Amino acid sequence: MAKDVGKVIEALYGENPPPIMIIGHSMGGAIAVHTASANHVPSLLGLCVIDVVEGTAMDALNSMQNFLRSRPKTFKSLENAIEWSVKSGQIRNIESARVSMGGQVKKCEESATNPSVSNSSGEGIIEEEEEEQGAEESNKKRMKEEDQEVKKESFYTWRVELSKTEKYWDGWFRGLSALFLSCHVPKLLLLAGVDRLDKDLTIGQMQGKFQMQVLPQCGHAVHEDVPEKVADALATFMVRHKFTEFKEGFLC
C-alpha cells in the first residue's frame, strides 16, 4: 500500500512531482510512515500522522475482533448507518459522518419473496388443446409470473470485511514508532490524548524530533470530530517549516 502511494503520485506527476506533504490517520498514518520511510515520494516535504501510536495500536489489536463483532452487520439505510456512527461514538460530528460513512458502506439487495408465493408458479405444463385456448393459457401464465415477480429489498453493509485482514494487522503497526522517528522530514503527530504516547515517542518528543499537538474533546477520528482544529494545526505546522505562507487575515 505504501508503494501504491508512490505509484499514484508518479502516475499523476511523472518524474517531477511537486513538493508533497503526506497526512494519514490511524492505519492510514501507518501507511504514510512506511511511504515516507521507504522514500516512495522523493519530493516529500513533511509528514503528519493522526492518532496512531505503535504501543496503543498493538495493545488494541487484542480486542479488535470483539469490536468488529459488536458492530451492526447491516443498516436499513445510509441515514441509519450515519446515525449509528454518531450514537456509538465512532464519530462525534454529524456533518462529518454524513461525508465519511458513505464510503465505508455499500448498498446491497436481497430477495424479499413473500412466503405465500410458490416458487413453482411457472413450472406448470400447458396441455395441448385448441390453439386459441393454448394462447389464452400462455398469456395467463405470463401475467401470473409478472404479478409474482420477486421484489428487491435494499440494505447497506460494510464495504470492507476488516476481520479478514487480521493477519496483516501486526505488520501495519509493529516498529512504527522507530520508523516515524527515522523519517528525515519535519513531522507532526496529532493525538486525541497524551496518554496515547509510547516510550519511544515520549523520548523522541522530549528530544524535539517531532512536533506534537493534543486535541482534546474528540475521539479517535480526530480529523472528523474537530476538522477546524486539525486544519489550523496543519496550517501552523506548514507555515512554521516554510512549506507555505499564511493568507492575509488568517488567524492561528
Side-chain angles (χ1 to χ4, degrees):
M1 285 184 280
K3 289 179 181 177
D4 286 345
V5 175
K7 292 295 184 183
V8 168
I9 292 173
E10 182 181 340
L12 287 171
Y13 301 111
E15 296 181 356
N16 298 303
I20 289 173
M21 179 174 173
I22 297 181
I23 305 168
H25 166 257
S26 195
M27 177 195 160
I31 295 172
V33 170
H34 281 273
T35 301
S37 176
N39 198 34
H40 290 309
V41 183
S43 62
L44 187 67
L45 273 183
L47 171 66
C48 174
V49 173
I50 302 177
D51 212 46
V52 60
V53 170
E54 179 184 350
T56 50
M58 295 299 294
D59 290 343
L61 293 184
N62 295 325
S63 58
M64 187 57 65
Q65 286 288 8
N66 287 334
F67 165 73
L68 293 176
R69 280 192 290 269
S70 72
R71 301 191 308 177
K73 289 183 171 56
T74 60
F75 302 96
K76 293 179 180 178
S77 64
L78 179 55
E79 291 72 22
N80 184 230
I82 294 168
E83 181 182 13
W84 171 85
S85 71
V86 176
K87 286 187 174 180
S88 66
Q90 301 299 306
I91 303 172
R92 302 183 185 182
N93 180 348
I94 184 66
E95 294 300 322
S96 178
R98 290 192 178 108
V99 175
S100 63
M101 279 304 291
Q104 296 182 54
V105 296
K106 61 181 179 179
K107 190 175 184 179
C108 302
E109 288 187 343
E110 66 177 3
S111 299
T113 310
N114 189 322
S116 64
V117 176
S118 170
N119 289 329
S120 62
S121 61
E123 295 175 359
I125 299 174
I126 302 175
E127 297 181 0
E128 294 183 4
E129 297 181 3
E130 296 180 3
E131 187 173 347
E132 290 183 2
Q133 184 178 353
E136 183 179 349
E137 289 294 330
S138 179
N139 287 337
K140 286 181 179 180
K141 176 188 170 186
R142 179 171 52 80
M143 290 174 66
K144 188 175 182 180
E145 289 176 346
E146 289 175 356
D147 289 341
Q148 294 177 343
E149 182 179 350
V150 175
K151 295 180 180 179
K152 296 290 184 180
E153 184 175 298
S154 63
F155 65 96
Y156 286 79
T157 189
W158 297 102
R159 187 177 299 275
V160 177
E161 292 187 58
L162 289 176
S163 59
K164 292 184 177 180
T165 67
E166 182 176 10
K167 64 181 179 180
Y168 303 109
W169 294 351
D170 187 272
W172 289 342
F173 302 113
R174 188 172 297 281
L176 186 63
S177 292
L179 273 183
F180 176 73
L181 293 170
S182 70
C183 294
H184 299 297
V185 293
K187 298 176 285 293
L188 172 64
L189 178 62
L190 297 180
L191 296 175
V194 70
D195 58 313
R196 285 163 160 76
L197 277 183
D198 58 22
K199 181 180 177 181
D200 287 347
L201 290 183
T202 299
I203 295 172
Q205 200 267 333
M206 293 174 67
Q207 294 175 338
K209 292 185 177 180
F210 63 93
Q211 179 184 334
M212 184 185 77
Q213 187 165 342
V214 178
L215 300 176
Q217 298 180 328
C218 62
H220 178 53
V222 181
H223 57 303
E224 297 205 48
D225 293 346
V226 287
E228 295 85 1
K229 291 181 179 179
V230 171
D232 286 347
L234 285 169
T236 302
F237 174 78
M238 293 173 73
V239 169
R240 177 177 297 163
H241 291 282
K242 296 182 170 54
F243 297 166
T244 186
E245 295 179 354
F246 277 133
K247 287 187 176 181
E248 185 177 348
F250 180 86
L251 299 175
C252 67

